[in-house]
């Protein structure tokens, strides 16, 4: 589990139910913030929630290749509901959580269509809340 692996580090987690251009842009920008903050041990991970892991995995592989994602692991979870311990909102298309020292500082649940350039900029800006 990434939450266990990353411990008290500043972490951005992204849970999504679909792969699209906006999600790709968000991941690319978060990956850039993680790369720039290696000295602060910042980490991130992305989980695609899907009932069909075999169909979902290639989408993430292509996204990683196209966006040149280098610092953020992209994974698939075999359930549209997501891992129970994260309590992903049922109506959220994308959920972004950020924490540091095991304390959640940001929890944004976005319905389909809410993730756009302005919202991505806002979310990326919130990474400051977890960087000490």
């Amino acid at each position: 589990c990434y939450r266990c692996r990353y411990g008290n580090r500043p972490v951005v987690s992204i849970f999504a139910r679909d792969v699209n251009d906006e999600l790709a842009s968000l991941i690319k920008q978060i990956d850039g913030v993680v790369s720039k903050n290696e000295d602060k041990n910042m980490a991130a991970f992305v989980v695609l929630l899907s009932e069909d892991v075999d169909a979902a995995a290639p989408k993430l592989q292509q996204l990683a290749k196209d966006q040149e994602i280098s610092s953020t692991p992209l994974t698939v979870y075999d359930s549209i509901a997501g891992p129970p311990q994260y309590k992903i909102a049922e109506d959220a298309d994308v959920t972004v959580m950020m924490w540091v020292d095991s304390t959640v500082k940001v929890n944004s649940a976005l319905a389909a269509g809410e993730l756009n350039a302005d919202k991505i900029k806002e979310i990326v800006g919130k990474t400051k809340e977890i960087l000490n």
Side-chain angles (χ1 to χ4, degrees), residues 48-115:
L48 181 59
L49 307 175
S50 177
E51 298 296 339
D52 188 350
V53 173
D54 293 333
K59 292 179 184 179
L60 285 183
Q61 291 169 345
Q62 191 63 49
L63 185 150
K65 181 181 175 186
D66 292 347
Q67 299 297 320
E68 299 177 347
I69 304 301
S70 61
S71 300
T72 304
L74 309 179
T75 60
V76 179
Y77 186 80
D78 189 12
S79 169
I80 199 76
Q85 65 271 32
Y86 287 94
K87 299 177 183 166
I88 306 299
E90 289 180 23
D91 59 346
D93 190 51
V94 176
T95 301
V96 180
M97 287 182 257
M98 299 181 201
W99 62 81
V100 64
D101 296 326
S102 300
T103 301
V104 175
K105 303 285 186 174
V106 175
N107 188 348
S108 298
L110 307 169
E114 288 185 334
L115 187 62

Side-chain angles (χ1 to χ4, degrees), residues 17-59:
R17 293 193 167 103
D18 189 26
V19 175
N20 54 41
D21 291 342
E22 292 78 18
L23 179 67
S25 177
L26 174 62
I27 294 169
K28 174 76 172 174
Q29 291 182 49
I30 292 295
D31 190 63
V33 174
V34 171
S35 294
K36 290 177 186 171
N37 288 284
E38 287 179 354
D39 61 322
K40 296 179 181 171
N41 286 324
M42 186 179 189
F45 64 93
V46 175
V47 180
L48 181 59
L49 307 175
S50 177
E51 298 296 339
D52 188 350
V53 173
D54 293 333
K59 292 179 184 179

